[in-house]
Amino acid sequence: MNLLEEKLSQFDPAVDGIIRNEMRRNEETINLIASENYPPKSLMKAISSMLSGIYSEGYPGERWYRGLENIDRLESLAIGRAKAVFGAEHANVQALSGSAANIAAYLSLLKLGDRILSMEIDAGGHLSHGARASVVSRMFDVVQYGVDPQTGLLDYEAIRRQALETRPRLIVCGASAYPRTIDFARFRQIAREAGAFLMADISHIAGLVVAGEHPTPVPHCDIVTTTTHKTLRMTRGAIILCKAEHADQVDHAVFPTLQGGPHQANISAIAVGLKHLGTPEYRQYIREVVQNAKTLSESLREQGAEIVTGGTDNHLLLLDLAKWSIDGETASVLLEEAHLIVNKNKIPGDRGTAKKPSGIRLGTPAMTSRGMGEEEARLIARWVVEVVTHPEEQTLRNKVKEDVIALCRRFPIYRMTF
Ligand code: DSN
C-alpha cells in the first residue's frame, strides 16, 4: 500500500468520521464564539498542500536549509501583503499563535523582569497579556489595569495615573472581550508621558481595523500583534507588525528565540487571506459583522437583557446574566442544547469565578460569514433570552433547537455534502 496516495476516509475512518461530524455540528449550530470564524475554501486548499512538510528556519534570503526558493517567494509575498494591508513598516508572519506573537513582542522590546502594564483578564484582557496563570507573569513584572466597574469602559485617566505611578517599560492595549472602540491615540499619549513602549494586540478587531470600522493602532504603536483567524477570517496563525526600528529584534525574538521552523502551509493560506482583505466584499462583510452585533445587542436589550457598556461598537457583546439569576456556565450549556454556541465570560465587577462567571460573550463574525443578517440576529436574540430565562423548560429548548437547525439549513457554511 502506498501511504502517500491513501485517502483519509479509507485509511483512517475514525478521524475522517470525527471531521465529518464536526462539519455537521457546525452546519447545524449557530456559532456565536466571538473569536471563531470559517476560513474561505481557497485558504483551506492552500493549507493542505505539500508545504506542510517543509522546514524553513530563518527568513527569506537567509535560510539554514536549501531548496527554499519558492518558500522565500511565498513568505515575501505574505510579508508584503501584510505591510500593505495594515500600513505597517515591517511584518513578521511566522508566529504560530497569538500568545507566541505576544511573547515575541515582549522579548523584542524588554529584558526579563521589566515591567508591563496591561489589561486584566477579568476586564477583557488576554491570558498572554500577563494573567497570573500565564508564563508571562513569571517572565515579567506585570501590573494591570481594569475597566470602570460601573460603566465597563476603559478609564483612560485612571490608566494614565497608574502608568505614571508604576512606570512600566511597556503598555499593552487591546482585548479579548471589550465591546467598545479603543482609543489607541490616547494610549500613545499615556505611553509617551510614562516613557513606555506601546503595543496593541488587535487579534479580535483586526478585521475591523483593515476595513476602516475601527481606528488603526499602527501609527501609534511600537508593535501590533494579531491572530489571523478571528475577524480576519483566515486559518489559525499570527502576524506581528512593527516600526522599522524594531524589525530585527522582532524577527530575532520569533526565530531563533521562541520558535524553530515556521508553518509555511499556514503562511500560504495567510497570504491568500491577506489578498481577500483588500476586496470590497471583505469590507462589506465587516460592515455586516458590526451591524449584526449592534442589532443582536439592541434586540437583546429590548427583551430586557443587561448588556455590558449598554451595547457594542465592534463584533462582540457581553451579556450580564446576574438579573436572571443564572450563571454563564449554566447558560452556555443550556444554549448549546438549543444549538446556540457561546462562551461563558467574566464581566466587569464580576463576583463569580472564571469557571462560573456572571456573563456570556456573543460575537457575530461566524454567523455573518454564513450569510446571516439582521433578521437572523433578531431571531437569535429572542432564542437566547427564551433559553436563559427558562432554564427548567426542556421542551422549549428542544423547540428552539429545531428552529435553529431549520434556520441553519437556509445558510449552509460551505455547501459541502457529508
Ligand atoms: N481564545 C480567544 C478568545 O476567545 O478570545 C483568545 O485567544
Side-chain angles (χ1 to χ4, degrees), residues 35 126 176 204 230 361:
S35 49
H126 188 253
S176 286
H204 266 265
K230 300 184 173 91
R361 187 184 65 167

Side-chain angles (χ1 to χ4, degrees), residues 307-362:
I307 307 294
V308 173
T309 78
T312 178
D313 300 327
N314 57 31
H315 63 298
L316 66 82
L317 57 104
L318 291 165
L319 183 48
D320 178 349
L321 297 165
K323 71 183 276 195
W324 287 330
S325 306
I326 186 169
D327 63 84
E329 165 66 10
T330 310
S332 65
V333 170
L334 298 180
L335 287 166
E336 184 176 19
E337 281 181 27
H339 282 211
L340 297 163
I341 310 299
V342 306
N343 67 277
K344 58 186 172 186
N345 218 99
K346 275 201 148 185
I347 53 172
D350 204 323
R351 299 227 181 95
T353 59
K355 287 194 171 161
K356 243 183 193 202
S358 306
I360 51 174
R361 187 184 65 167
L362 288 84

